[in-house]
């Protein structure tokens, strides 16, 4: 009787250990399920998607510029390729990724459906952001007037196809991979730095866009309405804008 009790306890112990081993073994699968399969997307996930894609795209454009400059001139050159004054951020690509995540990240689709939707979404986002930028600030960061199959010089059919491929890779591979990497950051550290990053990015976007809006008014010979406009005229003048943002 005593031996049977000991044997039963061992069996219970091994069952418990087996459960925890299975849990640890499938940890990455659980993370992926939480990030992708459940499709519960919060502001936090939208923001980190915007930030990471914006930064990666900025560095990518810098690398491309350096290579092209070297091919054309036989020496290395460098240029800021950011869409804001201070941080390495390209908002158009960040917002494009957020659009993809919002419309494509909530449920599984066939690959060709994601490709088609991503192409349309990317083209719409690029067109809309170009239109809004020109409407608000009077500037345009890109002009496709010399590109074939362009749509009002704001996007093109070939570029939309490129958006489709990028969106497919993003939703099927990059976003799940990003979730797995970020899940390794301790929760207390992540919860501390996220609000700080949100504040910094929002401030950078606000200062950049308001300075561009003030530049448009300055080009129209309109005087500043407040002391803020006077401050912008000194610190965010045309030379500063030309040096620090791609327009």
């Amino acid at each position: 009787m005593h031996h049977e009790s000991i044997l039963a306890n061992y069996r219970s112990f091994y069952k418990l250990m087996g459960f925890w081993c299975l849990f640890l073994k499938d940890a990455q699968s659980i993370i992926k399920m939480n990030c992708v399969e459940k499709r519960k997307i919060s502001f936090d996930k939208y923001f980190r998607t915007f930030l990471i894609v914006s930064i990666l795209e900025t560095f990518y454009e810098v690398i491309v510029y350096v290579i092209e400059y070297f091919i054309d001139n036989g020496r290395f050159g460098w240029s800021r390729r950011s869409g804001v004054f201070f941080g390495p951020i390209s908002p158009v690509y960040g917002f494009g990724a957020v659009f993809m995540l919002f419309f494509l990240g909530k449920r599984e689709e066939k690959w060709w459906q994601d490709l088609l939707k991503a192409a349309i979404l990317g083209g719409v986002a690029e067109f809309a952001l170009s239109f809004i930028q020109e409407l608000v600030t009077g500037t345009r960061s890109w002009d496709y007037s010399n590109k074939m199959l362009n749509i009002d010089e704001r996007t093109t059919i070939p570029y939309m196809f490129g958006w489709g491929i990028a969106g497919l890779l993003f939703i099927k591979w990059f976003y799940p991979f990003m979730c797995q990497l970020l899940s390794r950051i301790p929760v207390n550290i992540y919860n501390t730095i996220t609000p700080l990053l949100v504040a910094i990015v929002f401030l950078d976007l606000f200062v950049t866009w308001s300075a561009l809006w003030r530049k448009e008014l300055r080009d129209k010979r309109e005087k500043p309405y407040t002391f803020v406009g006077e401050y912008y005229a000194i610190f965010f003048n045309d030379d500063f804008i030309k040096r620090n943002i791609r327009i």
Side-chain angles (χ1 to χ4, degrees):
M1 193 69 181
H2 177 67
H3 292 293
E4 292 178 0
S5 177
I6 294 175
L7 184 59
N9 289 336
Y10 271 118
R11 287 174 177 171
S12 298
F13 174 77
Y14 281 121
K15 286 182 180 179
L16 181 61
M17 290 300 295
F19 168 79
W20 283 109
C21 287
L22 181 62
F23 174 81
L24 293 174
K25 181 179 179 181
D26 293 339
Q28 293 300 320
S29 298
I30 293 172
I31 291 170
K32 183 177 180 180
M33 179 184 68
N34 288 335
C35 291
V36 182
E37 293 175 7
K38 286 188 176 181
R39 306 292 173 174
K40 293 181 179 179
I41 304 174
S42 60
F43 169 79
D44 170 67
K45 292 181 180 179
Y46 285 127
F47 172 74
R48 70 192 186 190
T49 297
F50 170 85
L51 183 62
I52 292 173
V53 172
S54 295
I55 292 174
L56 290 177
E57 179 58 33
T58 300
F59 284 114
Y60 167 76
E61 291 206 4
V62 170
I63 293 172
V64 170
Y65 178 86
V66 170
I67 294 173
E68 290 180 345
Y69 189 91
F70 180 80
I71 293 173
D72 294 337
N73 300 280
R75 57 189 175 88
F76 289 105
W78 182 85
S79 172
R80 285 205 73 207
R81 312 303 289 172
S82 176
V84 293
F85 286 156
F86 306 109
I89 295 174
S90 294
V92 62
Y93 294 99
F95 285 122
V98 169
F99 275 23
M100 300 291 181
L101 186 58
F102 180 80
F103 288 103
L104 304 180
K106 295 182 179 180
R107 62 178 183 176
E108 290 285 351
E109 299 278 6
K110 295 180 180 179
W111 71 267
W112 63 268
Q113 292 177 316
D114 282 336
L115 177 67
L116 181 60
K117 290 181 180 179
I120 296 173
L121 290 171
V124 170
E126 192 171 35
F127 187 98
L129 289 172
S130 173
F131 180 81
I132 293 171
Q133 178 185 344
E134 186 172 17
L135 181 67
V136 175
T137 68
T139 62
R140 294 180 66 170
S141 296
W142 59 92
D143 184 351
Y144 298 147
S145 57
N146 61 338
K147 303 291 184 181
M148 66 175 183
L149 301 178
N150 72 79
I151 302 176
D152 196 28
E153 303 174 358
R154 303 183 189 277
T155 189
T156 73
I157 301 299
Y159 282 5
M160 289 176 65
F161 181 72
W163 275 107
I165 296 175
L168 180 65
L169 294 175
F170 168 76
I171 207 66
K172 297 294 187 184
W173 176 78
F174 180 79
Y175 180 68
F177 178 71
M178 181 186 73
C179 284
Q180 292 183 14
L181 288 182
L182 293 179
S183 67
R184 299 177 183 177
I185 301 175
V187 176
N188 58 334
I189 296 178
Y190 189 84
N191 291 340
T192 301
I193 64 175
T194 297
L196 180 61
L197 289 174
V198 170
I200 292 173
V201 171
F202 176 80
L203 182 62
D204 201 356
L205 289 170
F206 175 79
V207 171
T208 300
W209 291 342
S210 58
L212 290 175
W213 177 65
R214 181 58 222 158
K215 178 184 182 303
E216 182 187 15
L217 297 178
R218 192 163 57 243
D219 292 342
K220 295 178 180 178
R221 308 297 183 186
E222 295 190 23
K223 295 182 179 181
Y225 302 130
T226 66
F227 72 93
V228 176
E230 296 175 355
Y231 175 88
Y232 273 34
I234 297 173
F235 292 96
F236 302 128
N237 53 41
D238 292 354
D239 290 336
F240 177 89
I241 293 174
K242 186 177 180 179
R243 289 195 312 268
N244 290 281
I245 193 173
R246 184 173 49 126
I247 57 174

